[in-house]
Amino acid sequence: EVQLVESGGGLVQPGGSLRLSCAASGFTFRDYWMSWVRQAPGKGLEWVANIRQDGNEKSYVDSVRGRFTISKDNAKNSLFLQMNSLRPEDTAVFYCARVERAFTYGRHLHYFDYWGQGTLVTVSS
Amino acid sequence: SYDLTQPPSVSVSPGQTASITCSGDKLGNEYVSWYQQKAGQSPVVVIYQDNKRPSGIPERFSGSNSGNTATLTISGTQAMDEADYYCQSWDSGTGLFGGGTKLTVL
């Protein structure tokens, strides 16, 4: 059974830092792209970052690029999100998600087939 | 990247068909997936690659994608289908989500 368990959320002051972790089990972690997706209170889903299977390709939404860093440790089956220079608008539940990707008939397939339960990050003074 | 636009809310009577649209300038260029999120829970994929259902998702869920509009259709809607639904696609290395549609089963 695929399981994704996030941790590391909490209350942090504006300008502060936080490191989120996601422990993966039930699948061969090193074979998958992984993502972070967030959801502000009462709002919709927002993709935050992606990382390739080997960790050598990463992408970010514009609003976090340069402040957040995604990484993965395939030996420990873990995904991370280092968040620096946090802002009140970063307040959200952060989900870890496994990615399924393909390129078929000239179109990209990229979707999130398993999600964790989420961890709440609150940025406030 | 571009925006994915969904209606904020859709209402349907039990047993009827609900349709939720998702529009975007380049939507037909990439595959679309749909997620169901019930109150207080994590999202669950109900349709991927425009029209494929993951195992365990009821047959009443179906999807289509043509031109600039993708549609999630729920046939014979049940009370348990009341939830928020999000479309999702991919553009130039960036993940995109629609704003979400609250489905109310009256």
Side-chain angles (χ1 to χ4, degrees):
Chain A
E1 178 194 7
V2 172
Q3 284 200 324
L4 299 169
V5 180
E6 302 93 336
S7 61
L11 175 63
V12 61
Q13 291 189 341
S17 297
L18 214 53
R19 187 188 195 216
L20 305 183
S21 299
C22 171
S25 61
F27 65 102
T28 306
F29 183 72
R30 64 177 178 271
D31 289 346
Y32 285 86
W33 286 69
M34 296 294 295
S35 279
W36 288 98
V37 177
R38 68 182 176 182
Q39 185 170 35
K43 303 298 184 182
L45 301 172
E46 179 183 39
W47 170 80
V48 173
N50 255 14
I51 187 167
R52 198 173 67 186
Q53 294 100 320
D54 60 6
N56 290 333
E57 182 177 335
K58 307 173 186 181
S59 56
Y60 301 91
V61 67
D62 287 347
S63 59
V64 309
R65 189 175 295 114
R67 299 188 299 124
F68 290 10
T69 302
I70 188 172
S71 61
K72 67 191 313 248
D73 185 335
N74 287 335
K76 295 183 178 179
N77 292 340
S78 294
L79 177 72
F80 305 101
L81 186 67
Q82 177 66 43
M83 304 185 294
N84 299 330
S85 302
L86 282 160
R87 305 166 180 168
E89 55 265 35
D90 293 318
T91 294
V93 173
F94 282 74
Y95 295 100
C96 163
R98 193 179 82 168
V99 176
E100 276 288 359
R101 285 170 58 104
F103 185 70
T104 59
Y105 301 104
R107 299 162 73 196
H108 291 96
L109 171 64
H110 184 117
Y111 74 100
F112 312 103
D113 62 347
Y114 287 94
W115 299 64
Q117 85 288 349
T119 187
L120 176 62
V121 172
T122 303
V123 185
S124 174
S125 53
Chain B
S1 63
Y2 59 99
D3 293 334
L4 298 182
T5 301
Q6 299 180 232
S9 62
V10 167
S11 297
V12 64
S13 300
Q16 299 304 302
T17 297
S19 295
I20 299 173
T21 58
C22 173
S23 61
D25 285 346
K26 306 180 200 176
L27 204 53
N29 292 348
E30 308 293 4
Y31 290 110
V32 173
S33 301
W34 290 89
Y35 303 85
Q36 176 194 69
Q37 186 179 33
K38 296 183 178 179
Q41 297 184 20
S42 301
V44 173
V45 59
V46 294
I47 292 290
Y48 68 97
Q49 201 170 340
D50 291 346
N51 53 23
K52 291 181 168 44
R53 276 180 295 105
S55 61
I57 300 301
E59 290 185 8
R60 62 180 180 274
F61 288 87
S62 63
S64 64
N65 183 11
S66 179
N68 296 332
T69 301
T71 303
L72 172 69
T73 302
I74 309 172
S75 304
T77 307
Q78 300 183 8
M80 69 171 63
D81 300 329
E82 188 161 285
D84 294 326
Y85 291 86
Y86 296 90
C87 60
Q88 176 260 317
S89 191
W90 191 249
D91 178 58
S92 302
T94 299
L96 302 173
F97 282 100
T101 298
K102 181 176 183 59
L103 178 68
T104 301
V105 183
L106 298 169

